[in-house]
Amino acid sequence: MIYEFTVENFRSFSQAQTLNLVKHAQRHLPDNAMATLPGFPPVVRAAAIFGHNASGKSNFVRAGYVFWDAVTNSATNPTPAGFIRGIEPHRLDPLWQRKPTRFELVFSMGERVFRYGFAALPQKIVAESLSEELRHGKARRLFERSIRTQGDAANVEFSSDEFDGAAKDNVPKLTRDDALVLSSGANLNVPLLRNIRTLIARNPIVMSLSPFGPGVALQMARSIRDENEFRDQLAAVLRDADIGITGLHLGDPPAVDLQIVEHFKRVFTPQHGERAGEMALQQAKQMVQTQVRVLAQHRRTDDQSVDFDWQDESQGTQVFAQLFWLAFRAFKEGHVVVVDELGANIHPLLAARFIELFQNPENNKNGAQLVFTTHLSQLMSPSLLRKDQLWIAEKTPEGSTEIFSLADFRGEKYTRSSEAFEKNYLAGRYRGVGGFGPRLSGMPLEPAPRTGNGSGP
């Protein structure tokens, strides 16, 4: 589980902004928070980020993706030009263009809590550190990296006996300027670094709900095929959602289109030879044959069942099913699910039910968490979310994004746990709703006044 995530100097973010999932003192909706390790504070099970269009909500999710991608792929999948994927400094203030982008994550793994972060220019990691957070606010530094000054080895100082001599010698030598020590050490099978990289890499981050894309759809279809428990639970959830689907089962795989697969052979053979063309042909056939065809059962007016191809279901139905697949995985393994624009294709009540899945201790026994952005102000309900789960993204007059929670308000703006969150948000009390006027200009929303005798334009 995660305690906090910080981003600095990335796209619309200039000053460091932190999403803090640590539970505040309020007693409202106690099941929405969960205990962590002894000596560490509880955290909330879900957090929502609201805000006006272009306030920076999606940039926060993108920051999580860039962090995830660097940890997962920087050592094994570099870009040809040596650029670090996704590093985009804040552009509205020239001073930030010359500064590094920084990310930091505080998270638990097993019985320990770690703080890991790095700072990067577009082509170079300039700082990286890992420390163990100890009980009662103390910390123990495990390694620290600074910018390379000379020689072929990365400038890394290991300050813990947790790393043996081979790791201390080899990891710096085999870490490129555009790769992370964490990722290089994981590739060299350094136990702690390998375990942390694996933990971060297996947590799903979904960039968009319009739609998720073929990757999530294919994995969900394979789970329907291979996991009876998931297939049965998904069918039950879809029935409860009143979508009209009464069951799920598998159909025959699509027939191989010989014209398409022969095309692969014709393309590959002239350039790579007959053997390469034949291999391309066989791979194309295998790709088609391994596709999973999911059928959804519906009830006809004569009480008989009729099958619909899953691709014929509405986009909202497909998105909701994929959301449930993410939740199912998260509950099994304690994942953190990050979703941009929750509710873009599903009804607000279904979105609320999805959040409730994470906040039900009977479902969520392994520490899964949900972080999402949304425009659905209906989700700002004191019966659904606590004020320390409700975050606002807002642009400053200089064009930089700030994020804050309703629990941060003090003094005259103190927020009660039972107040009408949605009403107050839309009225601008919490900010984050934009400063547009009573109507949009740029087109004649009302008839233009006539001139002359009224007989012509």
Side-chain angles (χ1 to χ4, degrees):
M1 65 185 66
I2 61 175
Y3 291 84
E4 60 183 54
F5 179 68
T6 298
V7 56
E8 179 179 0
N9 193 26
F10 175 74
R11 293 176 67 88
S12 62
F13 291 89
S14 56
Q15 300 285 347
Q17 300 294 312
T18 298
L19 179 72
N20 191 333
L21 301 184
V22 172
K23 172 186 174 294
H24 283 236
Q26 61 188 283
R27 299 178 182 179
H28 185 58
L29 298 177
D31 284 345
N32 288 19
M34 55 186 167
T36 58
L37 300 175
F40 292 91
V43 295
V44 294
R45 299 179 188 268
I49 305 176
F50 296 82
H52 186 43
N53 293 100
S55 62
K57 303 186 302 300
S58 294
N59 284 339
F60 194 84
V61 176
R62 188 184 293 268
Y65 177 80
V66 172
F67 174 85
W68 174 90
D69 181 59
V71 170
T72 304
N73 299 313
S74 66
T76 56
N77 189 21
T79 61
F83 283 91
I84 302 169
R85 281 186 295 271
I87 299 299
E88 300 181 58
H90 184 63
R91 297 173 61 185
L92 296 182
D93 185 339
L95 294 177
W96 287 98
Q97 284 287 291
R98 298 186 292 272
K99 296 181 180 181
T101 296
R102 184 174 72 89
F103 308 103
E104 185 176 82
L105 181 71
V106 181
F107 61 97
S108 65
M109 183 177 72
E111 299 300 314
R112 305 170 71 181
V113 175
F114 297 94
R115 182 182 296 271
Y116 170 74
F118 67 89
L121 297 170
Q123 290 184 284
K124 182 182 296 186
I125 304 294
V126 299
E128 184 181 1
S129 64
L130 175 68
S131 61
E132 181 178 4
E133 299 289 293
L134 305 177
R135 292 170 176 80
H136 311 303
K138 298 181 179 180
R140 179 170 70 104
R141 183 57 55 91
L142 300 177
F143 79 74
E144 185 167 12
R145 171 190 187 176
S146 56
I147 192 169
R148 188 196 305 267
T149 54
Q150 61 183 358
D152 296 329
N155 190 10
V156 186
E157 178 182 351
F158 293 93
S159 54
S160 169
D161 56 7
E162 194 145 7
F163 304 100
D164 60 22
K168 294 178 180 179
D169 290 340
N170 293 326
V171 171
K173 294 176 183 178
L174 297 175
T175 300
R176 306 184 316 274
D177 278 348
D178 60 344
L180 296 173
V181 167
L182 175 61
S183 304
S184 298
N187 287 348
L188 293 172
N189 212 27
V190 177
L192 177 62
L193 304 184
R194 180 195 63 219
N195 293 340
I196 291 176
R197 201 266 298 270
T198 300
L199 176 72
I200 293 174
R202 69 184 176 88
N203 279 275
I205 295 177
V206 180
M207 289 298 294
S208 174
L209 283 180
S210 304
F212 284 157
V216 174
L218 178 58
Q219 292 179 76
M220 186 193 75
R222 288 173 177 170
S223 293
I224 292 173
R225 178 191 65 193
D226 300 334
E227 302 175 48
N228 292 336
E229 181 185 5
F230 171 74
R231 182 171 63 248
D232 293 344
Q233 290 199 14
L234 175 60
V237 164
L238 292 175
R239 286 195 297 269
D240 290 346
D242 196 26
I243 289 173
I245 295 175
T246 58
L248 297 169
H249 65 101
L250 300 179
D252 295 331
V256 176
D257 189 327
L258 295 179
Q259 290 184 339
I260 293 178
V261 296
E262 286 288 350
H263 172 73
F264 281 86
K265 182 177 181 178
R266 290 195 301 271
V267 169
F268 275 79
T269 299
Q271 297 181 7
H272 305 286
E274 186 68 28
R275 178 176 174 80
E278 187 63 31
M279 290 178 62
L281 175 66
Q282 297 304 320
Q283 290 176 356
K285 288 182 179 180
Q286 186 177 11
M287 287 173 59
V288 175
Q289 292 169 345
T290 56
Q291 290 184 14
V292 181
R293 186 183 179 207
V294 177
L295 299 177
Q297 293 177 318
H298 290 256
R299 185 72 62 187
R300 295 193 321 196
T301 56
D302 60 0
D303 210 33
Q304 299 298 309
S305 292
V306 60
D307 291 336
F308 282 69
D309 192 287
W310 181 252
Q311 300 305 317
D312 292 333
E313 297 295 335
S314 72
Q315 187 177 69
T317 296
Q318 295 183 47
V319 164
F320 183 69
Q322 291 173 39
L323 280 171
F324 181 75
W325 178 78
L326 289 168
F328 185 86
R329 284 184 59 199
F331 299 153
K332 288 284 188 180
E333 302 182 34
H335 286 170
V336 178
V337 177
V338 183
V339 179
D340 192 23
E341 295 295 356
L342 178 67
N345 291 288
I346 59 175
H347 193 277
L349 292 179
L350 275 185
R353 297 297 176 267
F354 177 72
I355 297 167
E356 289 172 349
L357 289 176
F358 280 82
Q359 301 192 144
N360 184 341
E362 295 300 314
N363 297 328
N364 189 357
K365 299 179 180 180
N366 294 318
Q369 290 169 289
L370 172 67
V371 177
F372 64 95
T373 72
T374 186
H375 284 289
L376 290 182
S377 60
Q378 300 96 319
L379 300 179
M380 274 191 159
S381 168
S383 64
L384 178 66
L385 294 168
R386 299 156 48 98
K387 61 184 182 181
D388 54 6
Q389 296 177 277
L390 296 169
W391 289 75
I392 308 293
E394 184 180 57
K395 285 281 187 69
T396 67
E398 295 75 29
S400 179
T401 297
E402 294 181 344
I403 62 171
F404 48 88
S405 83
L406 298 194
D408 293 334
F409 287 100
R410 296 290 185 268
E412 294 181 357
K413 293 187 175 181
Y414 176 79
T415 306
R416 300 187 310 277
S417 297
S418 59
E419 68 183 50
F421 295 149
E422 180 188 14
K423 178 181 177 181
N424 292 340
Y425 168 67
L426 294 178
R429 177 181 169 186
Y430 310 139
R431 310 198 310 269
V433 291
F436 46 82
R439 67 178 186 176
L440 300 177
S441 59
M443 59 182 294
L445 301 181
E446 296 178 0
R450 292 177 176 268
T451 60
N453 60 11
S455 60

